[in-house]
Amino acid sequence: LPALMDQLSARLPGGHWRDGDDSRALWATMTNLSDVAADSILWRCPLPAGRAAALALPAGATLRLDWGGALAWIILPPALADLDVPALVAAAAGRDSHARRLRLPDGLTSPVPAFSPPDPAVAALSRRIKALFDPHFVLAAEAEG
């Protein structure tokens, strides 16, 4: 972990490391979103450790990292509602990551889906497993195509 932290520090020179009580206080605040503006858009993006530095975020976006750099929290102002965060995450980390929008404030719209599109091979495997356990689609609202 120290080597990874050194690598992230070199790639993100403006970053600030938090640990111990400082880290716990930050993530308690992050959990209840008390320090994030109510009109902000919030994305949660698990990705391979060290790939957060490759995220190409525009000015105005805020990046917070947890799990030694393997969990990115991306906070966007309303003006960036159209930013395709799943595509940015995929470009930085490939199919070993995904993005999920946790918050889009009321009255704000975005053409960007709230979840990363599933990998076609993983989606096909999921359909086959569901069919094995629920062949008559009793538990599904409708069968997936």
Side-chain angles (χ1 to χ4, degrees), residues 28-72:
T29 299
M30 194 63 192
T31 298
N32 64 25
L33 304 175
S34 62
D35 74 327
V36 176
D39 65 345
S40 295
I41 303 155
L42 181 65
W43 288 86
R44 182 179 186 273
C45 311
L47 40 91
R51 297 307 303 157
L55 286 169
L57 297 176
T62 300
L63 176 66
R64 292 185 180 171
L65 301 176
D66 196 11
W67 301 348
L71 175 61

Side-chain angles (χ1 to χ4, degrees), residues 112-129:
V112 181
F115 298 95
S116 295
D119 178 84
V122 172
L125 176 62
S126 179
R127 283 192 300 275
R128 288 194 306 271
I129 291 171

Side-chain angles (χ1 to χ4, degrees), residues 69-104:
L71 175 61
W73 295 87
I74 299 172
I75 303 164
L76 304 175
L80 293 177
D82 293 350
L83 183 66
D84 192 344
V85 172
L88 292 177
V89 170
R95 60 187 256 182
D96 294 332
S97 64
H98 66 276
R100 179 177 183 189
R101 188 175 54 228
L102 299 179
R103 184 172 77 187
L104 183 66

Side-chain angles (χ1 to χ4, degrees), residues 16-30:
H16 170 73
W17 291 108
R18 297 173 187 247
D19 58 8
D21 290 341
D22 189 29
S23 178
R24 283 186 284 284
L26 169 69
W27 294 110
T29 299
M30 194 63 192

